[in-house]
Amino acid sequence: MTTDSAPTSAETDEFYEVTNLVLLDVWGDNFHQGYWESEEDDSSIQVATERLTDLLIERSELGGGGRVLDIGCGLGVPALRLAEKTPAEVVGVSNNQSQIDEANQRAVAKGLHDRVRFDYADALDLPFPDGGFDVVWIFEALMHMDRPRALREARRVLRPGGRIVITDQLQLGPMTDENARLVREQLDLMHASPLLFEDGYRALVRESGLELVEFLDISRHTQITSRRVIETVDRRYDELLARYGEVVIPILQSFRNPAALVPELGYALIVARRPG
């Protein structure tokens, strides 16, 4: 499984240092896709992103508690929601210090800092002992990493029998040359790794020493996200440019890139376990 095109930790850190501000303004504080029940579902962005987070919580099976590692935790919103809905202890990690500082402030504000903390760390070299977590989350973060290395490291810190819950973009089928070019350019802008097909993801899980529990293609529920982002950025482009300056032009172009509307661009929810 090739890793030649994987982004570096420094590249993703730089990308999010400015992107954090724009995402907060355009999308809200849950830096993830939304889950809409149907095309007719008029749920807000907040409701839709919380609904997707809840799918991960359900599949983590933490009703009795446990210790969770959230790799690529962003501002900590999903991790804090997990702690509100279960008795679990949660550790979130990111390679962006601004995100870590904000996430810890949010944990204190919610009175959850006794069970939730956020640390600066590299997902490819986690500062935790073997088998220290019952569940690992990688919520839309694996695309910014060397996937095989990140999954092997996640497996290392997972206890035997523990679960790993992943969401990631997915290639649903062959693309035209033009659509493939658009997607490739978009991934480069986002410092993201190339897309995988379902069979490639299944192989990745297996080669990482994990057993696949569930593979869900939920693309039809998440595709509305791209349209919402493009509509919002188009409507507010001049306002955002005036507020943040020319430094955000590449980010705004990334958000409104038609690559996000390519029909073969999908989204998967994957659950695996470390053999026990």
Side-chain angles (χ1 to χ4, degrees), residues 128-139:
F128 306 113
D130 295 0
F133 293 92
D134 300 291
V135 174
V136 172
W137 275 14
I138 313 182
F139 194 177

Side-chain angles (χ1 to χ4, degrees), residues 4 18 26 30 60 62 74 81-82 88 92 98 160 173 202 240-241 259 272 274:
D4 293 345
V18 179
V26 170
N30 192 338
S60 299
L62 289 161
R81 187 170 179 84
L82 170 63
S98 298
R202 288 176 177 270
L240 293 165
L241 183 58
R274 177 175 176 176

Side-chain angles (χ1 to χ4, degrees), residues 47-166:
V47 168
T49 53
E50 288 177 349
R51 190 180 287 147
L52 183 56
T53 300
D54 288 346
L55 287 179
L56 273 73
I57 294 173
E58 290 169 8
R59 279 158 175 80
S60 299
E61 297 187 350
L62 289 161
R67 193 161 186 253
V68 182
L69 176 63
D70 181 5
I71 297 176
C73 60
L75 300 183
V77 174
L80 292 168
R81 187 170 179 84
L82 170 63
E84 288 173 330
K85 286 179 165 283
T86 75
E89 174 191 347
V90 188
V91 179
V93 295
S94 170
N95 68 340
N96 182 271
Q97 189 63 52
S98 298
Q99 290 183 344
I100 292 300
D101 294 343
E102 174 70 17
N104 278 313
Q105 290 172 16
R106 288 169 180 254
V108 171
K110 285 182 171 287
L112 292 168
H113 56 287
D114 59 330
R115 286 194 293 121
V116 184
R117 80 168 197 267
F118 300 94
D119 298 337
Y120 182 93
D122 185 342
L124 303 183
D125 187 20
L126 294 167
F128 306 113
D130 295 0
F133 293 92
D134 300 291
V135 174
V136 172
W137 275 14
I138 313 182
F139 194 177
E140 287 176 28
L142 202 54
M143 65 187 294
H144 293 300
M145 305 171 191
D146 178 328
R147 288 188 181 96
R149 286 185 62 194
L151 278 186
R152 288 194 296 270
E153 183 68 350
R155 179 192 182 279
R156 180 185 68 79
V157 302
L158 192 63
R159 67 164 175 79
R163 288 190 158 215
I164 180 167
V165 184
I166 304 163

Side-chain angles (χ1 to χ4, degrees), residues 259-273:
L261 303 177
V262 168
E264 295 83 18
L265 188 60
Y267 192 90
L269 170 60
I270 301 147
V271 182
R273 65 184 292 275

